Amino acid sequence: HYYKKEAIMYNLQGNKQVFDLSSNTAREISALSKPVTSDPLAYTENSNLIVQTKGQEKILNPVGEGHYIWGSISPQKDRILFTLAGQGTYICDLEGNITAELGYANYPSWSPDGKWIVAMQDQDDGHRITASEIVVKSANGKQEFQLTKTSDKIEMHPDWSPVGDKIIYDTISGNIEILQIEIQE
């Protein structure tokens, strides 16, 4: 059993778009169009955390006002992962109740089984990224493992392979790299 990403939602000049990965087609989402899926969706838009269930959108913002980024639904469609800029990364249920605080974890991504989060811990000088490492955190917020520790590379934007045994990321120099991992519980 693995987690398959079916569609990507994005904003294009103020209009919501969906790119269907199975058909390689993009379309605009309008108030008149049907939802792409009946499954719950979660995303960030205009600094808000949005959950969509049964075609109805609701602003959650579970940790108060601020700039919400990197919102995503768990593979099991029961939890939402998000970052509040300047405060940290969190997991909540579909009603907005916080279930885990992950701390500093930028660009977070769910593992296919929903038990782990991969993220980057980047540093900047106010103008550019000066360092970044890849970490894995348990979805309950109790465990953390640093996967990279380099002074000569800046690793960023990690994501899981569909099976969950690899993590792919890019470096600031433009390389794409893959880490083979095995998590034993």
Side-chain angles (χ1 to χ4, degrees):
H1 176 69
Y2 64 91
Y3 172 48
K4 180 182 174 191
K5 293 180 182 174
E6 299 171 7
I8 299 170
M9 288 185 63
Y10 60 97
N11 230 326
L12 180 64
Q13 297 174 338
N15 297 315
K16 290 183 191 174
Q17 306 281 318
V18 145
F19 186 83
D20 185 321
L21 295 170
S22 61
S23 65
N24 287 333
T25 58
R27 69 180 175 87
E28 184 174 332
I29 300 174
S30 71
L32 301 175
S33 66
K34 294 179 181 176
V36 175
T37 176
S38 60
D39 291 337
L41 297 172
Y43 52 94
T44 50
E45 180 178 69
N46 298 325
S47 296
N48 292 308
L49 180 64
I50 313 287
V51 64
Q52 184 184 76
T53 53
K54 299 176 185 169
Q56 301 295 315
E57 289 183 339
K58 177 181 172 184
I59 296 175
L60 286 185
N61 294 356
V63 286
E65 294 300 313
H67 185 63
Y68 287 81
I69 53 178
W70 301 314
S72 65
I73 194 99
S74 67
Q76 295 73 26
K77 313 290 186 196
D78 61 348
R79 293 167 293 156
I80 301 169
L81 173 66
F82 66 92
T83 300
L84 182 60
Q87 284 200 16
T89 297
Y90 303 85
I91 296 174
C92 69
D93 63 19
L94 299 182
E95 300 301 316
N97 301 305
I98 300 298
T99 60
E101 295 184 29
L102 303 180
Y104 185 50
N106 285 342
Y107 204 81
S109 177
W110 292 100
S111 66
D113 63 8
K115 294 180 180 179
W116 300 93
I117 307 298
V118 66
M120 65 182 197
Q121 292 182 331
D122 55 316
Q123 300 170 6
D124 63 64
D125 63 6
H127 301 285
R128 63 183 181 87
I129 295 175
T130 58
S132 182
E133 302 298 343
I134 306 297
V135 297
V136 170
K137 297 185 177 211
S138 60
N140 63 13
K142 295 181 179 175
Q143 292 179 287
E144 178 178 333
F145 304 98
Q146 186 171 344
L147 298 183
T148 63
K149 190 173 183 180
T150 57
S151 59
D152 61 335
K153 283 198 285 189
I154 297 176
E155 297 95 343
M156 304 183 307
H157 311 116
D159 203 355
W160 296 87
S161 67
V163 177
D165 63 342
K166 294 178 182 72
I167 291 175
I168 189 167
Y169 60 90
D170 62 76
T171 66
I172 203 161
S173 59
N175 295 329
I176 295 178
E177 299 188 7
I178 298 173
L179 284 174
Q180 179 81 35
I181 64 165
E182 181 179 346
I183 298 175
Q184 298 178 342
E185 298 180 51

